[in-house]
């Protein structure tokens, strides 16, 4: 891959993984609610899920969605429901367990939940389809695909981790229940706002 194309690809990965979207909104909220260490499976799940999605798009799933608009519509609907559900998990009230009186706190996303979420994440689809269409070289498909995959790990993983670390830095501030509630509602609203591309 020529140097100028490699630099352009690095810029693309930084912008796409470092700007607001469903993954980063969820990681910000996860960091604030659970801390960085407990969110690491979430971060790893996003990274691996995006790699699998990248390979699937390279094998032609993206073209299949373009060729059959009904499949694209079904995917959009699934994306919408997934984002609404995740927003609800942020704002749903905590439950007190009747026997012990302890508060039941929601758990962070697991590795598999985060990985599977990429299949209904509109921004992840946009990233992978654009990366394949723009930065792969037909004459060197496997090597250019390997470079894209590597950069999404080496560059993308630190970019998404910053969001989680920022959320974790707010944990002390958010120990107040009212502030934590306002924060989670705000994150839910931003997550729902990330549905905007689905409406296009």
């Amino acid at each position: 891959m020529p140097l100028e194309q490699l630099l352009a690809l690095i810029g693309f990965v930084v912008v796409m993984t470092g700007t607001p979207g469903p993954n980063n909104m969820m990681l910000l909220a996860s960091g604030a609610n659970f801390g960085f260490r407990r969110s690491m499976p979430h971060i790893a799940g996003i990274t691996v899920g995006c790699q699998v999605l990248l390979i699937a798009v390279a094998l032609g799933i993206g073209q299949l969605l373009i060729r059959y608009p009904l499949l694209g519509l079904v995917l959009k609907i699934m994306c919408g429901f997934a984002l609404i559900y995740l927003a609800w998990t942020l704002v749903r009230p905590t439950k007190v367990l009747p026997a012990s009186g302890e508060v039941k706190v929601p758990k962070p996303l697991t590795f598999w939940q985060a990985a599977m979420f990429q299949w209904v994440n509109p921004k992840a689809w946009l990233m992978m389809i654009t990366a394949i269409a723009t930065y792969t070289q037909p004459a060197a498909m496997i090597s250019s695909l390997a470079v894209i995959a590597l950069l999404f790990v080496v560059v993308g993983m630190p970019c998404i981790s910053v969001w989680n670390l920022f959320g974790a830095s707010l944990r002390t501030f958010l120990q107040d229940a009212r502030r934590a509630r306002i924060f989670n509602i705000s994150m839910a609203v931003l997550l729902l706002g990330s549905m905007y591309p689905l409406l296009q």
Side-chain angles (χ1 to χ4, degrees), residues 9-199:
L9 175 57
I10 291 171
F12 171 80
V13 174
V14 169
V15 170
M16 294 304 287
T17 60
T19 53
N23 281 331
N24 289 338
M25 291 301 99
M26 289 300 295
L27 284 174
L28 180 62
S30 184
N33 287 290
F34 309 110
F36 179 73
R37 187 180 62 81
R38 290 187 66 194
S39 300
M40 287 178 68
H42 187 167
I43 294 169
I46 290 172
T47 304
V48 172
C50 282
Q51 295 290 308
V52 174
L53 185 59
L54 176 69
I55 293 169
V57 170
L59 292 174
I61 287 184
Q63 289 299 318
L64 191 65
L65 292 173
I66 293 170
R67 186 169 180 179
Y68 298 100
L70 183 59
L71 289 177
L73 177 62
V74 170
L75 181 63
K76 281 187 175 185
I77 292 170
M78 290 173 62
C79 290
F81 278 117
L83 290 172
I84 290 168
Y85 171 75
L86 290 171
W88 166 245
T89 64
L90 287 172
V91 298
R92 66 184 174 192
T94 54
K95 297 177 181 178
V96 177
L97 300 178
S100 61
E102 294 179 356
V103 175
K104 183 181 180 182
V105 181
K107 296 178 181 179
L109 286 186
T110 66
F111 171 88
W112 290 110
Q113 287 172 331
M116 294 304 294
F117 174 65
Q118 303 319 303
W119 288 87
V120 291
N121 179 354
K123 189 176 180 183
W125 278 96
L126 175 65
M127 282 193 301
M128 299 313 156
I129 290 173
T130 304
I132 294 295
T134 307
Y135 297 103
T136 54
Q137 300 168 322
M141 177 61 78
I142 293 177
S143 61
S144 57
L145 185 62
V147 171
I148 294 169
L150 179 64
L151 287 177
F152 269 108
V153 175
V154 174
V155 177
M157 198 168 184
C159 287
I160 64 174
S161 296
V162 166
W163 285 85
N164 187 256
L165 287 167
F166 178 64
S169 72
L170 298 174
R171 291 198 79 194
T172 302
F173 175 76
L174 296 175
Q175 284 181 350
D176 177 79
R178 182 174 174 273
R179 287 196 291 244
R181 181 77 174 154
I182 292 171
F183 174 82
N184 283 337
I185 291 172
S186 300
M187 290 299 98
V189 169
L190 288 172
L191 190 58
L192 291 175
S194 69
M195 290 173 62
Y196 176 75
L198 298 177
L199 305 176

